[in-house]
Amino acid sequence: MDKTIKAPVSSTAFTDLVGVDHPIALAPMAGAVESDLAAAVGNAGGYPIMPFSWSSRDTIEAELTSLRSKTDAPFAVNLCLDMPQEARLELCLSHRPNAVHFFWGDAAPFVKQVHTNGALVIQTVSTAIDAKHAVDAGVDILVAQGWEAGGHVRGMVATLPLIPAVVDMAGSVPVLAAGGISDGRGLAAALCLGASGVVMGTRFLATPESAAHSEYIAQLIAAQHSDTLHETDLYNVGWSNAAHRVLRNAVANRWLAEGRPSNNTRHRSGETVAMRGSAPIKAYQSTTPHHSMTGEIEALSMWAGQSVGLVNSVERAGTIIDSIMEHARAALQMR
Ligand SMILES: Cc1cc2nc3c(=O)[nH]c(=O)nc-3n(C[C@H](O)[C@H](O)[C@H](O)COP(=O)(O)O)c2cc1C
């Protein structure tokens, strides 16, 4: 008898709904996910989500055209609702994404427009109450983001208690677990909690296909699970009142040691610390270290989740997905 358990891992309510082979989504990571990484994940049977919250019209056009030239896989686009997104949404929908994923806000006002354009609606939630609101509004897939997650983190509940609470509230709506997941054991655990898949960010930063700066990737590989900080007022230039999880670095250590001084009084406030082309990057700016940046990369906001402790090498995105599927199957077979 073939003891390989394929069906419970490979096919879930999520994979069936979006039409991919594996229940692994590439987290939308502004500044790190571009068409190369998204195509690599899509071609490996995962589900790429392209981040466009701060992108220009030209960038969205170029990135989605490029993605289409590299893969036929279904993909989603991601928009953060802490700023107006009507124009970007319209442009994204014209490229026929499989889904639109909303973050940091209420997807309800956009559900009808997205559905009318033939796409699914995905919403990130961080409590069961948010989940109920989204389901009642007609959202098709929920992403439950635990506070272990890297980047901007809306809630304060950890992934382990959050997933079952959201799953119980979601009914037949598939739930993806985000935050703290970097390997097959994490996928298996999420599935055991009732999730239909996972959204992984930090793990996919350390890939040759990612747009992250090499110095940032080196810091991720060196970091342990206990090397991240969850703060609201640290990297708040350009996007304030938004809690975030980042690698602890010299900038953070000094700011903490000085008692979290306010924006105007803190060390190097207003100074340019790096450049992206001709655009200056200021101290404490909310930005992802991109491979094209020059200057003090180590001083930038190096977003990372607690799962960074499981990121120990640079691997191709397809290799990561194959390995996660193999190890998740093995973990579930032991049940
Ligand atoms: C570098 C980075 C950038 C991110 N940018 C976005 C974004 O633009 N939109 C979004 O919805 N989430 C963003 N996130 C959060 C991810 O979608 C996801 O919730 C998180 O990466 C999951 O936790 P993990 O990093 O432990 O896998 C970002 C995360 C990281 C690490």
Side-chain angles (χ1 to χ4, degrees):
M1 185 181 135
D2 179 6
K3 292 184 82 179
T4 312
I5 299 177
K6 285 195 174 148
V9 182
S10 292
S11 169
T12 70
F14 166 70
T15 60
D16 291 348
L17 183 58
V18 303
V20 296
D21 289 342
H22 304 310
I24 301 172
L26 165 66
M29 294 184 286
V33 173
E34 295 176 351
S35 63
D36 280 355
L37 179 53
V41 167
N43 286 333
Y47 187 70
I49 309 178
M50 295 284 284
F52 290 128
S53 300
W54 294 270
S55 303
S56 68
R57 202 179 169 83
D58 287 352
T59 299
I60 295 173
E61 287 283 2
E63 282 293 308
L64 290 181
T65 304
S66 171
L67 180 64
R68 279 290 193 217
S69 73
K70 293 169 188 159
T71 183
D72 293 330
F75 67 91
V77 297
N78 167 260
L79 296 170
C80 169
L81 293 175
D82 210 28
M83 57 283 288
Q85 296 291 9
E86 283 75 7
R88 290 190 187 92
L89 176 59
E90 201 169 313
L91 178 58
C92 287
L93 286 170
S94 73
H95 284 264
R96 316 299 298 170
N98 178 266
V100 180
H101 171 208
F102 295 105
F103 181 52
W104 219 275
D106 184 6
F110 304 102
V111 169
K112 194 169 168 211
Q113 182 187 2
V114 176
H115 282 166
T116 304
N117 280 274
L120 298 163
V121 180
I122 307 176
Q123 161 101 66
T124 292
V125 298
S126 45
T127 63
I129 292 170
D130 288 352
K132 178 166 176 14
H133 180 74
V135 169
D136 288 349
V139 166
D140 303 287
I141 298 167
L142 298 174
V143 174
Q145 188 197 40
W147 92 304
E148 303 93 319
H152 288 86
V153 185
R154 190 75 189 266
M156 293 294 283
V157 181
T159 300
L160 194 68
L162 179 64
I163 301 309
V166 170
V167 166
D168 287 348
M169 189 61 87
S172 60
V173 172
V175 176
L176 303 180
I181 300 158
S182 274
D183 65 11
R185 294 169 295 183
L187 170 58
L191 295 175
C192 288
L193 292 170
S196 296
V198 294
V199 174
M200 292 185 355
T202 301
R203 172 63 273 205
F204 283 119
L205 291 170
T207 57
E209 298 97 338
S210 126
H213 195 285
S214 57
E215 174 61 24
Y216 176 26
I217 294 175
Q219 297 283 338
L220 291 167
I221 288 171
Q224 305 295 310
H225 59 275
S226 50
D227 287 337
T228 70
L229 292 171
H230 179 266
E231 297 287 341
T232 300
D233 299 323
L234 177 53
Y235 295 105
N236 61 355
V237 173
W239 191 14
S240 57
N241 299 315
H244 43 267
R245 188 174 289 284
V246 281
L247 286 185
R248 184 186 270 276
N249 61 1
V251 171
N253 283 337
R254 180 170 183 143
W255 181 74
L256 290 172
E258 292 179 353
R260 296 185 171 87
S262 65
N263 284 18
N264 294 336
T265 58
R266 58 190 171 178
H267 182 62
R268 301 188 71 187
S269 179
E271 275 186 31
T272 296
V273 293
M275 299 293 291
R276 182 170 180 170
S278 58
I281 314 284
K282 300 292 182 185
Y284 308 99
Q285 187 168 325
S286 170
T287 190
T288 303
H290 186 264
H291 66 77
S292 65
M293 290 180 181
T294 55
E296 297 174 57
I297 303 303
E298 210 271 339
L300 300 180
S301 47
M302 296 185 287
W303 317 117
Q306 291 179 336
S307 63
V308 71
L310 296 167
V311 179
N312 300 314
S313 58
V314 174
E315 305 283 355
R316 299 194 74 79
T319 305
I320 292 171
I321 290 178
D322 289 348
S323 163
I324 288 177
M325 292 308 299
E326 183 189 337
H327 288 108
R329 285 189 184 113
L332 290 171
Q333 211 167 358
M334 286 166 60
R335 285 196 298 167

